[in-house]
Amino acid sequence: MGQHLWLALPFLFSAAVFGLMGSAGLLTASWSTVPLSPVVSGAGVAVAAAVSGGVRWRRGWQRVWLRWPYLVAVLGGGVVVGAVEVPAVAATVVGVPVLLGLVLQCVMQSDESRQAADCR
């Protein structure tokens, strides 16, 4: 994964989940809006926290003083916008391409890992 992609990961993960929620609402005609859930934002922060452990930091202090405050701020932002409702169409239009991009990133990463293992 890119060195700085972990910074965007909470937002990308949340957008992908909201896109799936929006498309499910549109396909079943169950709902026309998607609430921005703090639970989904929290899950995005958890994924970013897990991935950020593998980041190569230039200094040891950065792992603590940059990584954790950023993740706490993003989590706080997710809680603040938790009551906002977004149209399901907008969530789908934004979230589904993000989901496809994340899947593509994972596939490319696993291919690179497999090629590196073959070279050894």
Side-chain angles (χ1 to χ4, degrees):
M1 179 170 293
Q3 185 69 10
H4 300 290
L5 184 59
W6 77 273
L7 293 166
L9 200 54
F11 305 104
L12 296 173
F13 180 86
S14 297
V17 172
F18 292 133
L20 290 174
M21 290 169 60
S23 61
L26 293 174
L27 290 174
T28 62
S30 300
W31 58 82
S32 60
T33 61
V34 175
L36 298 181
S37 167
V39 173
V40 174
S41 299
V45 169
V47 170
V51 170
S52 66
V55 172
R56 291 186 191 129
W57 298 90
R58 291 186 181 154
R59 305 273 186 264
W61 62 268
Q62 292 175 333
R63 178 178 300 273
V64 174
W65 294 106
L66 296 179
R67 173 187 182 197
W68 294 114
Y70 172 74
L71 294 172
V72 168
V74 172
L75 181 61
V79 170
V80 168
V81 299
V84 175
E85 300 233 350
V86 176
V89 172
T92 303
V93 166
V94 172
V96 170
V98 168
L99 175 65
L100 295 175
L102 287 173
V103 169
L104 181 63
Q105 176 73 24
C106 289
V107 168
M108 289 178 9
Q109 186 72 26
S110 67
D111 285 346
E112 289 175 7
S113 297
R114 195 174 306 120
Q115 288 174 356
D118 289 343
C119 290
R120 291 183 217 153

